[in-house]
mmCIF file of all heavy atoms in Angstrom:
data_model
loop_
_atom_site.group_PDB
_atom_site.id
_atom_site.type_symbol
_atom_site.label_atom_id
_atom_site.label_comp_id
_atom_site.label_asym_id
_atom_site.label_seq_id
_atom_site.Cartn_x
_atom_site.Cartn_y
_atom_site.Cartn_z
ATOM 1 N N SER B 125 2.869 19.905 19.706
ATOM 2 C CA SER B 125 3.450 19.525 21.021
ATOM 3 C C SER B 125 4.447 20.603 21.460
ATOM 4 O O SER B 125 5.639 20.573 21.133
ATOM 5 C CB SER B 125 4.129 18.171 20.768
ATOM 6 O OG SER B 125 4.836 17.839 21.903
ATOM 7 N N PRO B 126 3.923 21.608 22.171
ATOM 8 C CA PRO B 126 4.792 22.664 22.610
ATOM 9 C C PRO B 126 6.023 22.240 23.426
ATOM 10 O O PRO B 126 7.103 22.806 23.220
ATOM 11 C CB PRO B 126 3.843 23.539 23.581
ATOM 12 C CG PRO B 126 2.483 23.122 23.157
ATOM 13 C CD PRO B 126 2.554 21.739 22.774
ATOM 14 N N MET B 127 5.898 21.102 24.138
ATOM 15 C CA MET B 127 6.966 20.511 24.901
ATOM 16 C C MET B 127 8.162 20.128 23.957
ATOM 17 O O MET B 127 9.343 20.265 24.336
ATOM 18 C CB MET B 127 6.568 19.243 25.569
ATOM 19 C CG MET B 127 5.550 19.530 26.708
ATOM 20 S SD MET B 127 6.316 19.882 28.207
ATOM 21 C CE MET B 127 6.904 18.257 28.701
ATOM 22 N N ASP B 128 7.797 19.620 22.768
ATOM 23 C CA ASP B 128 8.810 19.262 21.771
ATOM 24 C C ASP B 128 9.109 20.446 20.761
ATOM 25 O O ASP B 128 9.784 20.161 19.777
ATOM 26 C CB ASP B 128 8.459 18.019 21.014
ATOM 27 C CG ASP B 128 8.110 16.894 21.964
ATOM 28 O OD1 ASP B 128 8.955 16.649 22.845
ATOM 29 O OD2 ASP B 128 7.030 16.316 21.869
ATOM 30 N N GLY B 129 8.580 21.606 21.009
ATOM 31 C CA GLY B 129 8.766 22.720 20.104
ATOM 32 C C GLY B 129 8.051 22.629 18.842
ATOM 33 O O GLY B 129 8.475 23.194 17.805
ATOM 34 N N ILE B 130 6.951 21.789 18.764
ATOM 35 C CA ILE B 130 6.216 21.629 17.495
ATOM 36 C C ILE B 130 4.887 22.432 17.625
ATOM 37 O O ILE B 130 4.006 22.046 18.358
ATOM 38 C CB ILE B 130 5.948 20.133 17.203
ATOM 39 C CG1 ILE B 130 7.296 19.344 17.125
ATOM 40 C CG2 ILE B 130 5.164 20.001 15.910
ATOM 41 C CD1 ILE B 130 7.105 17.900 17.005
ATOM 42 N N GLY B 131 4.951 23.527 16.890
ATOM 43 C CA GLY B 131 3.729 24.369 16.805
ATOM 44 C C GLY B 131 2.946 24.090 15.534
ATOM 45 O O GLY B 131 3.398 23.395 14.680
ATOM 46 N N GLU B 133 2.588 25.753 12.968
ATOM 47 C CA GLU B 133 3.335 26.147 11.708
ATOM 48 C C GLU B 133 4.311 25.114 11.218
ATOM 49 O O GLU B 133 4.654 25.181 10.021
ATOM 50 C CB GLU B 133 3.998 27.544 11.901
ATOM 51 C CG GLU B 133 5.003 27.759 12.970
ATOM 52 C CD GLU B 133 4.378 27.627 14.370
ATOM 53 O OE1 GLU B 133 3.158 27.778 14.587
ATOM 54 O OE2 GLU B 133 5.181 27.239 15.347
ATOM 55 N N GLN B 134 4.759 24.192 12.091
ATOM 56 C CA GLN B 134 5.624 23.123 11.659
ATOM 57 C C GLN B 134 4.839 22.023 10.939
ATOM 58 O O GLN B 134 5.384 21.099 10.346
ATOM 59 C CB GLN B 134 6.366 22.501 12.870
ATOM 60 C CG GLN B 134 7.766 23.029 13.050
ATOM 61 C CD GLN B 134 7.639 24.120 14.160
ATOM 62 O OE1 GLN B 134 7.078 23.878 15.230
ATOM 63 N NE2 GLN B 134 8.181 25.260 13.848
#
Side-chain angles (χ1 to χ4, degrees):
Chain B
S125 174
M127 294 275 282
D128 303 311
I130 302 172
E133 60 292 339
Q134 265 97 51

